[in-house]
Amino acid sequence: MLGSARYALARSSALKQRAFGRFYAAQKSCLSSLVFVETKGSGFDEGALNAITAARKISGPVVAVVAGSEADAAAKAIAKIEGVDKVVVAKDAAYDHALPETTAALLKALQEKEGATHIFAPHTAAGKNIMPRLAALLDSQQISDVISVESEDTFMRPVYAGNAIATVQSSDPIRVVTVRTTAFPAATASASASAAEEAAPAVDAQPLSTWIKEDMAKSDRPDLATAKRVVSGGRAVKSAEGFQIIYDLADKLGAGVGASRAAVDAGYCDNSLQVGQTGRIVAPELYIGIGISGAIQHLAGMKDSKVIVAINKDADAPIFQIADYGLVGDLFTIVPELIEKI
């Protein structure tokens, strides 16, 4: 009798394991991802390419969503990106400038139509504006600033200004994720890639806000987010005129220009140049910090750079702790010498 009971118990356990295995396999086979692509005129924000790489780590098809009055040109470029299975095009001026009310409503409608289990966007101003609203519409908790996709339900993200890494496991049926673009390589175009394109369904979304205008600082220098070399200046440059030395070195190196929050708050340069926890996150091949002490908020935005060079007259400045090369001295003496010798 006891042997029969043990056999029945073991058989029941084995059946449950097989049933769970079939359920898990069925669940994995149903996985799919949407990737939001922010359009900029006839082009698109290249952060979407990093988000596509993150989405490809999830099993299942990847569907790119391109919206805007000039979405056709961007959609054709995205269709050639390796790993994109389909491109949904919403050609409508209502989606220009990625207003959160209209864009979130579109993504919700597409999630319902496609049955997507994951929705990705780059952790940019647009992504941070749209995805929280989308998460609320889907009754899902957003997972922000992801630096690693461990599995379909597990992600890694920095916390405490990058001093700790949290592993987040989500039980939500739909995962809404923003991706730190510097943590994933950009997906590339392939001659063999040719994703299908289809029109997005009509969505009745009433915007609560109105786009008025955009004032952008135009520059011939490389964009800060994608530059391979970045030269940043801090409060020690002393003035807006003193910040010119940062521009001069950057031009010599063909680099993008960044700044610490202290330099931005002091009015030495435009706030679009701010690097750090509350500014831009960069990870160039070469980062040169000039007159920057290395506050934790600034380090959070640049410590993943491949090579870090620090120039500061204070030998005890925190930035030297993470720098690969350091020069202790007056920046107004060192930097002109560098410019002269390059």
Side-chain angles (χ1 to χ4, degrees), residues 45-191:
D45 183 88
E46 293 187 356
L49 301 178
N50 308 91
I52 289 170
T53 298
R56 285 166 56 184
K57 294 184 178 293
I58 304 294
S59 301
V62 174
V63 179
V65 181
V66 185
S69 57
E70 300 180 68
D72 285 344
K76 292 186 184 305
I78 291 293
K80 297 177 182 178
I81 300 299
E82 189 173 356
V84 175
D85 297 283
K86 183 167 67 174
V87 180
V88 177
V89 186
K91 188 176 180 181
D92 192 325
Y95 301 118
D96 286 348
H97 313 299
L99 294 178
E101 297 91 354
T102 52
T103 308
L106 171 66
L107 291 172
K108 180 177 183 292
L110 288 172
Q111 185 280 323
E112 294 170 348
K113 178 177 179 292
E114 299 289 336
T117 56
H118 296 74
I119 306 174
F120 289 89
H123 194 68
T124 58
K128 289 185 283 187
N129 203 20
I130 295 164
M131 300 301 269
R133 188 178 189 88
L134 173 62
L137 292 173
L138 294 172
D139 194 23
S140 179
Q141 182 167 314
Q142 179 179 321
I143 306 168
S144 302
D145 204 16
V146 164
I147 61 172
S148 176
V149 178
E150 300 295 298
S151 68
E152 68 270 14
D153 65 353
T154 306
F155 308 85
M156 297 179 72
R157 60 181 300 269
V159 293
Y160 301 119
N163 284 300
I165 304 298
T167 300
V168 181
Q169 187 171 39
S170 171
S171 60
D172 289 330
I174 305 167
R175 283 98 187 193
V176 179
V177 181
T178 60
V179 171
R180 178 174 290 198
T181 55
T182 58
F184 297 88
T188 56
S190 171

Side-chain angles (χ1 to χ4, degrees), residues 227-249:
K228 292 183 178 181
R229 294 175 291 277
V230 172
V231 178
S232 288
R235 181 163 41 195
V237 300
K238 299 180 180 179
S239 65
E241 292 74 21
F243 203 86
Q244 182 61 44
I245 202 170
I246 306 298
Y247 294 125
D248 293 342
L249 179 57

